[in-house]
Amino acid sequence: MIPTLEWLPEGVNFLDQTKLPMEETYVLATDYRQVATVIRDMIVRGAPAIGVSAAMGMALGIDRSAATTLAELTAEVAIIARTLAETRPTAVNLFWGIDEIRSLFNSLAATNTAIAEIKSAVIARARQMYDEDIAACKQMGAHGAALLPMEGTVLTHCNAGALATCGYGTALGVIRAAIERGHNISVFADETRPFLQGARLTAWELMKDNIPTTVICDNMAAALMRQGRIQAVIVGSDRIAANGDVANKIGTYGVAILAHEHGIPFYVAAPWSTIDLATSNGDQIPIEQRSPVEVTHINGRQMTPTGVRIENPAFDVTPAKYVAAIVTERGVLRAPYAESIRAMASGTPRPAKLASA
Ligand code: MRU
């Protein structure tokens, strides 16, 4: 299994995804501020991995605190949470990861639990979230595998694999599960400009698993769809609004429109922690703007005229109407998403038409 991140006695160890595929090196964060930097600089990236990293950052901050009273520690927890929350705005999993640990801390502090006991409890919860993330990915695979063709090629955008989670992956987890169940599937990986998560990361991890993979430039998907060479699209998500609008890596919206035009199903796989019930539609999802240097330079080499204006939104929003199904660890959601998401959130049994395909 690919060790994306790991809790160690010395701190949190991260596979440096900025160096892949050429170098497999690790960055050890021994302080919560370093975890924040690792998230901001995309040494770790992908919504579920960011969520668990934030939880581990909280646990690390609490564990390493020199506070001797609960009042002091409570004040520090607020600073740790704020520091981690200011790293990346789009993936709601970040805030979920912070809130899981903060709520546990608050409930233990409210009952005057000893600081040493609080430290062990938050570390245990962060490590449990790591295990739960892998289990959720496996569940998504089990629910979503049947959506993919028995034979054919699936397009994916960005990296929604083991590297974007604690292991196995969301969209790539569904592909892995389908292959484990006997589907004969190969993958087109969009290169995913400007950060090249598809070319660098998806290709790297699928090749490690011997899954037949072809990298294409982002502007090639339309031609391949027109030639009948893509049977399904599956991507991950950074935040899904309560109406089913899906924020994901920049370029996803275009892929969804292309899939719609060519009659190809467009699926999304994401853990329940990616669904943001407090955000009613995609227009309300904050979109991270990243440094122009990611666009102007490739591998340190300038590609654009000095001084040209640059836009670099890291994510876009795909309207729910283009999404054929959303695969979660709880089951498969179908349109109308406002209804199916609400029903799944309340644990109400889903009507037959919403059952897994
Ligand atoms: O900027 P990134 O690399 O963190 O963006 C990642 C994505 O957009 C993924 O597709 C998404 O987080 C789903 S990961 C399972």
Side-chain angles (χ1 to χ4, degrees), residues 1-6 13-17 20 24 26 49 130 133-134 159 161-169 172 176 201-209:
M1 200 165 87
I2 296 160
T4 310
L5 66 144
E6 193 181 9
N13 208 24
F14 294 94
L15 176 59
D16 187 344
Q17 298 195 29
L20 290 173
E24 258 176 74
Y26 287 82
Y130 175 94
D133 181 69
I134 297 172
N159 172 266
L163 289 168
T165 61
C166 298
Y168 204 67
L172 298 192
R176 286 191 167 94
L201 309 178
T202 297
W204 181 78
E205 71 163 89
L206 291 181
M207 284 182 80
K208 264 189 182 279
D209 274 0

Side-chain angles (χ1 to χ4, degrees), residues 153 188 214 216 219-232 258-259 261-264:
T153 303
F188 277 128
T214 306
I216 58 170
N219 50 10
M220 296 172 185
L224 293 171
M225 287 184 184
R226 192 170 157 80
Q227 290 164 12
R229 294 174 63 193
I230 294 172
Q231 281 65 52
L258 291 177
E261 171 65 22
H262 293 89
I264 297 166

